[in-house]
Amino acid sequence: MKDLTNSKEFIRRHIGPSDEHIKTMLSYLHVQSLEELIQKIVPDKILEKEELKLDDAISEDKALKLLKQIVQKNKIYKNYLGAGYYGTITPNVILRNILENPGWYTAYTPYQPEVAQGRLEMLLNFQQMIIDLTKMDIANASLLDEATAAAEAVALCQRINPENLNKIFISNRCNLQTIDVVKTRVEPFGLEIIVGDNDEGLPKLDNLLCAIVQYPDSLGAIYDLKQIIDIIHNKKGKAIVVTDLLALTLIKPPGEMGADIVVGNSQRFGVPMGYGGPHAAFFATKDEFKRAMPGRIIGVSVDRKNKQALRMALQTREQHIRREKATSNICTAQALLSIMAAAFGIYHGPEGIKKIAERTAGISNLFAEAMQKNNFKIISQHYFDTVTIFTGDETEDFYKKALAKKINIRKLEDSISISFDETSEISDLKDLFEVFGINEKISSETKIDQISKEFLRTSKYLTHEVFNSYHSETEMLRYLKRLEDKDIALNRSMIALGSCTMKLNAVAEMIPVTWPEFGAMHPFAPVDQAEGYHFMFNDLSKMLSEITGFSGISLQPNAGAQGEYAGLMVIRKYHLSRGDKNRNVCLIPSSAHGTNPASAQMAGMKVIVINCDKDGNVDFEDLKKKANDYSKDLAALMVTYPSTHGVFEEKITDICKIIHDNGGQVYMDGANLNALVGIAKPGKFGPDVCHMNLHKTFCIPHGGGGPGMGPIGVSQHLEKFLPNHQIIKQNSGPSTGMGAVSAAPWGSASILPISWMYIKMMGAAGLKKATQVAILNANYMSKKLSEQFSTLYKGKNGFVAHECIIDLRSIKVETGVSEEDIAKRLIDYGFHAPTMSWPVAGTLMIEPTESESLNELNRFCDALINIKKEINMVKNKVFDTNDNPLKNAPHPFLELSADIWEHKYTREQAAFPLQYLKTNKYWSPVSRVDNVYGDRNLVCSCPSLDSYREEAA
């Protein structure tokens, strides 16, 4: 009987291979069915015998209509809440050509710089914009949010603290979420936090590690920042300033007053509030601290032809190298949102942004003058966009009157704070005046005399040519297209990054992200205005709980690494609740993600490494010995499952039992959850905590290196320790929780619809099939490549999980051709390289995902097979050992089209090694980038456009 519905249509479109192609691949592997394949790979004791209890799959159209009905439960009031989140207008050219463009949002972190020059340039623009506006020496390419950026600033001060100072002062005029997150982050290290008044509390303290102040402060006041910074320095402390980019176009920047670190949020530069995120935080500091900076830094280097090229700088800090000594979790970035913010700065330019700031300040001035004229007292005479009015006993009445007019104002103990922004109109003042019982004639002209001359900015900013060249939509459109064309994203070809799960980010999943009902919601709006959001949160949490087998879910962690950190902090809180203050040892296999030991260190734990055996599994005897040796102090084991080596370890339940028997908890890294959904539930086979990378398994796109979401699931005994929030306490987590890990109560809430849509459109059967096909595709590729490249690790019956590691070490010994040469040569074939030299040096880790078709799998395999032929030509002396297509890869168009060709192989061998490349060719914009040069000659701001022109000449 024919199925006349289209409910399974999305499943067919998400899963790359057709049913016929699935049969072909199964036959190639000598297996009869997907079910038989899974039984041959997954340990029987963890294999789920029941189907997921989820709704049946629905069509794209039906899912969108259903979500539209849900989101319309949200009430979008006029917001004057401020507190770090503001209304903004995303220029349509940026909305359509960046946020809604898969050429930007499906790209991966720029670990392969040759295929990422476009987004690297825009990230460098972001750094330059931050440097200019803050007047600091160096800035990174974004962090997760303002609050975590402030916490990272404290961590930097810890790293450069030779005197072991342990006092941290936080101004009580900082946003509450910043205070909350900093408290959570420093608690494991026993540092003393003093929250107090800048003028009264700070001068009384001595021997500070650092002090955090906000400028303008949370109530809007602009004050003598230099005086405060001088006091901090006199107390031996480092001065951390939380600031506002738009305000810095008008007021004196912190860098001109001696600040050591400046942090904040770029959200109001064209990124919707989205009920809390995602938004790109910024982090800027002095040059002397650059090698202790957190996150990613984009630097200027040169390529093989000595042409200017960009790359991620200071990569020796990256976790895979430094592990528990890493300065931060490098995964905690918001690349797509920092790119949007930089584009906002470029499109408006210095004059355009200043005009927005002046207009915002002018409207706030009109409001404040009218309030004072009507005998209201405002708390500060010097302010930018936020006016705080003393309202005493009438505070609640004014607040309720505003709500009745569908207006959100910020209620304090005896005051009300009103924040204006880019979306504010002079006409809006009429409604505000009515709230306060004022009948005031509104002037159509604004002035800015509320900022004292001594506080006004006199220095220039955004003087670089890039911020002064693309102010028409035509020019901006073409600039963005030029940058996009330099990069490889999923809209161009397969990205087979092992452990990174680069799968389809369907357009139907992405559409709701830009709906105003999601985007215009302030994260601190009353909960009853966000009924649609909370319906979706609850529904998504239930689905994630069913998929993973964990009873408790927190959606707050806004990155995978944040999920790791939150999970470990939950475990820490659990041990403390039982009086086990000494439990601080974390066992981590040597194959673990680099973020694992970094997260353990951030949670105040001591890392003990567990060996792996010859088959890539956790060394069971080593685990038993160390678990027993450290049983009195054992806090946790961090384990990735299936393992980072691409196999399902048979002893996973035994591993968990050993940890539990020795008093510890098991944290499972959910990076490889794409191999478990529908076939096994981690909450049932041993782990106590697991984070879920929604930007991997559940289809939130990587965005060039962020956004991401890393919710955690926990067993029942850990539920009361999940993250919570001090501003919005209702439904945001238990009062007994571990504290806040993100600035917003539900993290980057506005991208959660992506995962909700995915699960709804796939249903139980679709999700299971996706897992089965992901495993099928990996095994098909492993076998197809087996004659040329051996797979390093295999599980039972000779199969792998959802990814495979191909071993290239003998090739390097025999021919001198390295894994990097192969990775760069793949660029000439139009592919982004798989994960290189991790978790095993001298290898490539390949993960095809379920979304790639058989044709694309074959095209990728054909490229690698042909590369092996080229390697053999080097081995057989047909190609020169040093001058061959692999050593010189990639080959840019300018080199191939030059009059002089000096290589010992032909142009055709370099550019068109396979026939398909003659009709579908990606041209790398640069030759191989020199990493060492970039670190030795660190430049992290925009070079002049003349330097590009000179090279092109």
Side-chain angles (χ1 to χ4, degrees), residues 640-762:
T640 303
Y641 198 79
S643 80
T644 309
H645 289 147
V647 293
F648 283 92
E649 299 200 28
E650 292 291 314
K651 293 184 177 180
I652 184 62
T653 54
D654 299 323
I655 287 170
C656 294
K657 186 176 185 303
I658 286 173
I659 300 303
H660 290 146
D661 288 347
N662 285 279
Q665 296 284 285
V666 177
Y667 174 91
M668 193 189 102
D669 186 314
N672 294 338
L673 204 59
N674 207 47
L676 290 176
V677 176
I679 63 171
K681 294 183 179 183
K684 287 189 174 183
F685 62 71
D688 303 284
V689 189
C690 172
H691 88 267
M692 302 154 238
N693 286 327
L694 300 191
H695 50 290
K696 291 186 181 182
T697 299
F698 297 99
C699 292
I700 292 175
H702 288 66
M709 277 292 273
I712 57 172
V714 299
S715 297
Q716 189 173 4
H717 67 286
L718 296 178
E719 286 183 33
K720 61 182 179 180
F721 307 115
L722 284 168
N724 55 23
H725 207 273
Q726 292 305 307
I727 297 178
I728 304 293
K729 297 182 181 181
Q730 187 179 347
N731 302 329
S732 66
S735 60
T736 52
M738 49 144 292
V741 292
S742 302
W746 292 277
S748 295
S750 67
I751 55 175
L752 291 175
I754 300 169
S755 298
W756 184 93
M757 286 284 295
Y758 172 66
I759 297 171
K760 288 292 183 185
M761 293 187 296
M762 293 294 281

Side-chain angles (χ1 to χ4, degrees), residues 19-31:
D19 287 343
E20 282 302 310
H21 285 162
I22 288 172
K23 289 178 184 177
T24 299
M25 288 191 284
L26 288 169
S27 176
Y28 183 69
L29 295 172
H30 306 295
V31 177

Side-chain angles (χ1 to χ4, degrees), residues 108 144 329 331-332 497-505 540 544 547-548 550 553-555 557-565 593 595-596 599 639-642 644 667-677 682 689-702 706-713 751-752 754-756 758-759 802-803 838 847 850:
Y108 185 63
L144 291 175
N329 268 324
C331 292
T332 50
L497 283 156
S499 202
C500 295
T501 314
M502 298 293 293
K503 65 203 288 182
L504 172 69
N505 314 119
L540 180 59
L544 292 175
I547 288 166
T548 61
F550 289 107
I553 303 289
S554 172
L555 299 174
N558 54 359
Q562 287 285 86
E564 292 177 18
Y565 170 73
H593 282 92
T595 53
N596 286 181
S599 293
V639 61
T640 303
Y641 198 79
T644 309
Y667 174 91
M668 193 189 102
D669 186 314
N672 294 338
L673 204 59
N674 207 47
L676 290 176
V677 176
V689 189
C690 172
H691 88 267
M692 302 154 238
N693 286 327
L694 300 191
H695 50 290
K696 291 186 181 182
T697 299
F698 297 99
C699 292
I700 292 175
H702 288 66
M709 277 292 273
I712 57 172
I751 55 175
L752 291 175
I754 300 169
S755 298
W756 184 93
Y758 172 66
I759 297 171
H802 64 307
E803 60 193 7
W838 183 83
E847 181 181 355
E850 72 275 12

Side-chain angles (χ1 to χ4, degrees), residues 11 18 27 59 275 334 362 526 544 636 661 726 734 764 774 791 847:
I11 300 171
S18 66
S27 176
S59 68
Y275 207 41
Q334 299 281 20
L544 292 175
D661 288 347
Q726 292 305 307
T791 296
E847 181 181 355

